Amino acid sequence: MASFLISLAVLIIGYFTYGKIVDRIFDSQPERETPAISMEDGVDYMAMDWKKAFLIQFLNIAGLGPIFGAIAGALWGPSAFLWIVFGTIFAGGVHDYLSGMLSIRSGGASISEVIGENLGGTIRQIMRVFSIVLLVLVGTVFMTGPAMLLANLTPGFMGVNIWLVIILGYYFIATFLPVDKIIGKLYPIFGLALLIMALGVGGGLIFGDYNIPNIALNNLHPGELPMWPLLFVTIACGAISGFHSTQSPIMARCTTNEKEGRKIFYGAMVAEGIVALIWAAAAMTFFQGTGGLNEALATLGGPAGVVHEITGTMMGVVGGVLAMLGVIAAPITSGDTAFRSVRLTLSDIFGLEQKSIKNRLLLAIPIFIVGGALSQINFDALWRYFAWSNQTVAMVVLWAGAMWLAKRGKNHWIASIPAFFMTGVSSTYILYAPEGFQLPYSFSVTAGIIIAVVTMGIYIKKISSTHFEEEIMIKEAV
């Protein structure tokens, strides 16, 4: 119990301390006009209260990630607490804050454009393709998953394809309409429900008859899978996730004051870390260890069944309703903003303003034709690549943020150190994983570390040998 309570306290303290340090290093400026004001278009760019923006950002980046990922990560035991806490504070919070604030400074630009501005045109082109594929994949899978769950609730009445059409129709409307019409009205409610569900489970753990295990560094995974790098990829949304950076520009276009960036972007990541911490603790405690959790995942139908069992026991009818809301509504809300992000990314690439209904239709219709076609494909194998691609995006965004800071003579280590760490994670994973090169574990670990060290060396050489002052002065004057 003590480790859980201390971890919870450290996350909260981290927001008020390290979050302020990151904000001070970035130098957010309250007097600086944001895109929500200077570029207001009534569709994607519009002023929004920070509390509403925080809840929308939280739901956009969370969905089921900090629940399902934390449950799967709990199989390694309470050592997962350390990754959630330190990953959130020093990696995920920095990643989300920088992706949101750099988007604000770049006129609400999509993350591929932000990366290109800092790492060059070649990386820009790669990340344009990479991010669009990632977002379409997220949107499609978060469409088919809920459709299958809903079809199970309406057997013989409404099948999977009917629900797919309904969800696809909702996606189109949510992607096409101005951000305040559906996202601005419904998402704060869903975000609050997700927080209430987590706090209810957390309260049940603390005040109920449960013995939350304390932190131990030994690997307790029933399948004896290695902790490095698998734990750091399995728990993504609860520690650091590249998907977040694709969502940050949505609220970057609605933030009215740069000083609100820490609350919206860093704050939402800390809130997600708290949710992940609670669910990791609940999963390994409720089923009395990692062995029991592993059995529950097999017999209850995966993480969704585990969520339903825990919430139903701890929170009764209310818990069951919230669990159903989370398992079905949360992925849908992540899916529609994924498609919205595709539209925004394409609009940046082709220079199409989105105030025009014609231009929005021009981008939205092809996106959903592709999404509808892909929903008929079995994604089991392809989806496994999401884990790696997700953390690879996070790695690149951190390097871009580090370069932005270095160019301005600011403390780049807040981004370059976690970027170095995530380079090791992503490199080792793709070399070792079944969906990767399937190389021997020891070789993969060594090679991953070497790749991270070489990348850091190239970065240090770049920032040491280049004079950025003139470039920055010209750009910021323009």
Side-chain angles (χ1 to χ4, degrees), residues 236-256:
C237 284
I240 178 172
S241 167
F243 174 68
H244 296 185
S245 65
T246 68
Q247 302 302 290
S248 293
I250 296 177
M251 285 300 100
R253 301 182 184 209
C254 300
T255 302
T256 58

Side-chain angles (χ1 to χ4, degrees), residues 56 59-60 170 182-183 185-191 333 336-337:
I56 294 173
L59 189 65
N60 283 356
Y170 163 76
I182 293 180
I183 293 174
K185 287 182 170 62
L186 294 181
Y187 278 36
I189 298 172
F190 287 141
T333 55
D336 64 16
T337 52

Side-chain angles (χ1 to χ4, degrees), residues 10-348:
V10 171
L11 277 171
I12 296 170
I13 293 170
Y15 167 76
F16 289 104
T17 55
Y18 198 70
K20 285 186 177 180
I21 291 172
V22 172
D23 187 58
R24 185 169 65 248
I25 290 172
F26 182 86
D27 190 24
S28 59
Q29 300 173 13
E31 70 282 355
R32 190 183 184 113
E33 196 172 51
T34 64
I37 308 300
S38 62
M39 300 173 67
E40 194 275 332
D41 65 359
V43 179
D44 298 309
Y45 292 87
M46 58 177 64
M48 191 174 288
D49 177 76
W50 78 262
K51 293 182 286 297
K52 180 181 287 188
F54 161 80
L55 285 171
I56 294 173
Q57 174 71 7
F58 168 68
L59 189 65
N60 283 356
I61 66 175
L64 291 177
I67 301 177
F68 283 16
I71 289 172
L75 288 171
W76 277 276
S79 55
F81 293 170
L82 293 174
W83 170 230
I84 291 170
V85 171
F86 293 112
T88 293
I89 294 172
F90 297 109
V94 175
H95 168 276
D96 288 18
Y97 176 86
L98 288 177
S99 62
M101 295 302 289
L102 291 182
S103 178
I104 290 176
R105 289 286 177 94
S106 300
S110 301
I111 196 60
S112 57
E113 308 309 299
V114 171
I115 290 170
E117 287 179 12
N118 294 282
L119 298 181
T122 301
I123 299 297
R124 183 200 305 268
Q125 298 302 329
I126 293 172
M127 292 309 297
R128 280 174 171 175
V129 175
F130 205 85
S131 61
I132 288 173
V133 170
L134 176 67
L135 287 166
V136 171
L137 179 63
V138 170
T140 304
V141 174
F142 281 176
M143 173 170 57
T144 55
M148 293 172 66
L149 289 171
L150 288 165
N152 289 334
L153 296 176
T154 57
F157 174 57
M158 296 176 70
V160 173
N161 286 333
I162 294 177
W163 280 114
L164 277 173
V165 171
I166 294 172
I167 295 173
L168 194 64
Y170 163 76
Y171 274 13
F172 183 82
I173 294 171
T175 299
F176 177 78
L177 287 178
V179 70
D180 64 331
K181 299 305 181 186
I182 293 180
I183 293 174
K185 287 182 170 62
L186 294 181
Y187 278 36
I189 298 172
F190 287 141
L192 196 58
L194 206 61
L195 281 173
I196 290 172
M197 180 168 64
L199 293 176
V201 172
L205 286 174
I206 294 171
F207 299 108
D209 187 22
Y210 295 100
N211 183 25
I212 304 174
N214 287 316
I215 293 174
L217 297 180
N218 51 318
N219 186 349
L220 300 179
H221 196 289
E224 299 183 349
L225 295 179
M227 192 176 297
W228 174 270
L230 300 185
L231 171 64
F232 304 92
V233 173
T234 302
I235 300 181
C237 284
I240 178 172
S241 167
F243 174 68
H244 296 185
S245 65
T246 68
Q247 302 302 290
S248 293
I250 296 177
M251 285 300 100
R253 301 182 184 209
C254 300
T255 302
T256 58
N257 188 320
E258 283 195 356
K259 280 298 180 184
E260 295 172 348
R262 180 174 68 92
K263 301 174 185 176
I264 296 170
F265 302 113
Y266 198 98
M269 182 63 241
V270 170
E272 189 182 52
I274 291 172
V275 171
L277 182 71
I278 289 171
W279 277 103
M284 67 182 72
T285 302
F286 188 86
F287 298 102
Q288 301 180 351
T290 59
L293 172 59
N294 192 48
E295 183 179 347
L297 286 168
T299 58
L300 295 176
V306 167
V307 170
H308 189 270
E309 181 74 13
I310 292 174
T311 53
T313 301
M314 289 187 174
M315 300 173 65
V317 176
V318 174
V321 172
L322 287 174
M324 185 60 66
L325 177 68
V327 171
I328 294 177
I332 291 177
T333 55
S334 291
D336 64 16
T337 52
F339 279 123
R340 189 181 190 92
S341 295
V342 176
R343 176 174 65 79
L344 298 181
T345 301
L346 290 173
S347 71
D348 286 346

